[in-house]
Amino acid sequence: DADVTQTPRNRITKTGKRIMLECSQTKGHDRMYWYRQDPGLGLRLIYYSFDVKDINKGEISDGYSVSRQAQAKFSLSLESAIPNQTALYFCATSDGDRESAFFGQGTRLTVV
Amino acid sequence: SQKIEQNSEALNIQEGKTATLTCNYTNYSPAYLQWYRQDPGRGPVFLLLIRENEKEKRKERLKVTFDTTLKQSLFHITASQPADSATYLCALYNFNKFYFGSGTKLNVKP
């Protein structure tokens, strides 16, 4: 089983719809992140959380919200999806200041 | 904000040769720098980490150098194999966040 699991893996949704992407981890890490990846732009940070009571905006948080339901669960919501939110979304975890990031398999989201 | 530059053009090399990928960064020097491998449609996978007080790090066929004066890291794969074909991402950790480059695609031809 994957250490960081994202659901769904693929999703097509219509403009204006609300959609939630979910992430769960079994690594026991406190820190969780949401990134989006677009061709040529690399991974850009949307939100991050260092524990259940800590939520922080990343560089591109507009149009997104998150919820940290438990240490192991971090969900990303698009309240009203728009076509330029079409991208590959990744959840990641890390443990402490000087450790690497562990990524999920990604969610490919298409907004039509 | 932190900016990371990797060559956006694909690197094509012959099997058995050494591949060298470059990562340049601006602004703040990180406490450490990392390299990841990403295969199509999959999440990045951590390969190596090098700290600011280390000049070089090796792991099997992989070698990373870190020059804080030049603000540059080089990533080498020796005796490259077709299975090494992937996109390689450079990442910095600063201010409690990971900053990623857009990656360089490596194609190793048999």
Side-chain angles (χ1 to χ4, degrees):
Chain A
D1 289 337
D3 293 320
V4 183
T5 302
Q6 292 183 234
T7 56
R9 292 294 313 277
N10 291 282
R11 181 73 181 267
I12 299 174
T13 192
K14 293 184 178 180
T15 298
K17 293 290 188 183
R18 184 179 188 275
I19 182 168
M20 179 182 290
L21 309 183
E22 299 188 353
C23 176
S24 62
Q25 52 117 346
T26 58
K27 298 195 72 70
H29 290 166
D30 288 326
R31 301 183 178 200
M32 298 188 73
Y33 308 81
W34 275 105
Y35 289 89
R36 67 176 277 176
Q37 188 173 40
D38 300 276
L41 293 179
L43 289 159
R44 291 183 292 166
L45 183 63
I46 306 172
Y47 271 96
Y48 61 104
S49 168
F50 285 174
D51 65 41
V52 174
K53 297 179 182 178
D54 176 74
I55 301 288
N56 303 283
K57 292 183 178 181
E59 57 183 309
I60 55 163
S61 58
D62 288 348
Y64 302 94
S65 62
V66 291
S67 173
R68 185 82 184 264
Q69 302 93 324
Q71 187 210 33
K73 294 184 182 296
F74 192 36
S75 59
L76 175 73
S77 294
L78 286 67
E79 296 301 327
S80 179
I82 56 177
N84 78 358
Q85 291 178 313
T86 293
L88 190 53
Y89 289 84
F90 287 103
C91 174
T93 73
S94 73
D95 183 14
D97 276 342
R98 293 174 179 265
E99 297 293 331
S100 57
F102 294 86
F103 284 82
Q105 293 287 65
T107 295
R108 186 169 295 280
L109 176 66
T110 303
V111 183
V112 298
Chain B
S1 64
Q2 193 77 42
K3 187 174 180 183
I4 300 156
E5 296 174 346
Q6 295 185 258
N7 194 342
S8 59
E9 291 187 13
L11 177 62
N12 299 305
I13 65 167
Q14 206 66 35
E15 183 176 7
K17 300 292 186 184
T18 296
T20 299
L21 306 177
T22 304
C23 172
N24 294 295
Y25 62 92
T26 59
N27 297 338
Y28 308 105
S29 284
Y32 59 92
L33 183 148
Q34 305 170 335
W35 284 89
Y36 291 77
R37 170 183 172 141
Q38 186 175 22
D39 292 288
R42 305 181 76 88
V45 175
F46 171 72
L47 296 174
L48 275 175
L49 177 154
I50 186 166
R51 293 183 166 78
E52 58 183 339
N53 60 349
E54 298 174 319
K55 291 254 191 284
E56 182 179 297
K57 198 80 167 278
R58 291 175 185 260
K59 179 183 177 182
E60 298 173 351
R61 294 185 295 113
L62 307 181
K63 184 178 88 172
V64 173
T65 62
F66 191 11
D67 188 325
T68 55
T69 302
L70 291 179
K71 296 191 174 182
Q72 181 181 80
S73 174
L74 299 180
F75 176 78
H76 307 272
I77 304 176
T78 58
S80 60
Q81 305 165 0
D84 294 327
S85 297
T87 296
Y88 291 86
L89 308 176
C90 166
L92 309 180
Y93 188 85
N94 259 343
F95 310 114
N96 298 322
K97 295 185 282 288
F98 293 93
Y99 296 88
F100 287 86
S102 56
T104 299
K105 186 173 182 181
L106 173 65
N107 297 312
V108 181
K109 300 183 179 180

